[in-house]
Amino acid sequence: MYEQLKLDNQVCFRLYTASRLITQTYRPLLEPLGLTYPQYLVMMALWEKDNQLVGELCRRLVLDTNTLTPLLQRMEKEGLIIRTRGIADGRQTLVSLTKKGLHMEEQAKDIPTCMTKCWQGKPMDLGDAQRFVENLDTMIATLKEATAGR
């Protein structure tokens, strides 16, 4: 067997596993809000900056339009967001929070703290976590650049 093909030697497998486990950990925290993890990501992006074009959200969330659009459609049906056509360019769609979506931020404010408690006191302290995030950001930026022309 080729050593480089062993599952234990794959960074991607660890990232995939961590991603799945993080999503599973978020699930019970998001259920009372009626949000899925991808919807939560959209909401955080809109709480940070409301009234964004779909293209801006795609870039911010690193999602394709054909992935984000059905998600936004469901969120609009649930009364969390409103989608409107751009005034200057009717081909663009602006995404805005509704009152319900805005009020949900208050309900969600403790979720990051709850997630941090999941690993608090474990081998990864806050400083380690911040360095880990910086390393992941570097990896993401490098991969985005490498795949930009594809």
Side-chain angles (χ1 to χ4, degrees):
M1 179 174 190
Y2 294 99
E3 194 67 22
Q4 68 268 26
L5 293 179
K6 289 184 178 177
L7 197 55
D8 288 343
N9 294 334
Q10 306 305 309
V11 172
C12 59
F13 177 67
R14 284 175 177 77
L15 291 171
Y16 170 75
T17 302
S19 175
R20 279 188 26 262
L21 291 170
I22 288 169
T23 302
Q24 286 174 12
T25 306
Y26 268 106
R27 191 171 294 127
L29 300 172
L30 296 174
E31 279 178 359
L33 301 176
L35 293 175
T36 64
Y37 182 70
Q39 289 172 332
Y40 176 61
L41 297 177
V42 170
M43 294 300 287
M44 285 193 297
L46 290 170
W47 290 327
E48 192 174 314
K49 180 185 175 226
D50 199 3
N51 305 312
Q52 293 188 55
L53 294 173
V54 170
E56 290 177 72
L57 283 171
C58 286
R59 282 187 291 282
R60 181 76 172 110
L61 298 171
V62 194
L63 293 173
D64 293 325
T65 306
N66 60 357
T67 301
L68 185 59
T69 299
L71 187 62
L72 295 175
Q73 289 170 340
R74 285 190 302 277
M75 294 174 75
E76 189 171 32
K77 285 179 185 172
E78 293 168 14
L80 300 173
I81 63 163
I82 297 170
R83 294 178 304 146
T84 54
R85 291 283 168 207
I87 295 169
D89 185 345
R91 296 171 296 177
Q92 294 182 323
T93 302
L94 187 68
V95 182
S96 306
L97 290 165
T98 62
K99 285 184 182 181
K100 180 180 177 181
L102 284 166
H103 286 96
M104 193 175 275
E105 183 177 15
E106 174 67 25
Q107 296 171 279
K109 71 178 179 356
D110 294 326
I111 292 174
T113 304
C114 291
M115 287 300 294
T116 302
K117 287 179 183 177
C118 289
W119 69 72
Q120 207 169 30
K122 303 290 188 241
M124 185 185 290
D125 65 16
L126 189 57
D128 289 338
Q130 288 170 334
R131 284 184 291 283
F132 181 66
V133 167
E134 289 169 6
N135 288 332
L136 283 176
D137 285 345
T138 300
M139 177 186 277
I140 290 165
T142 303
L143 291 171
K144 280 167 89 175
E145 188 177 305
T147 60
R150 295 182 190 172

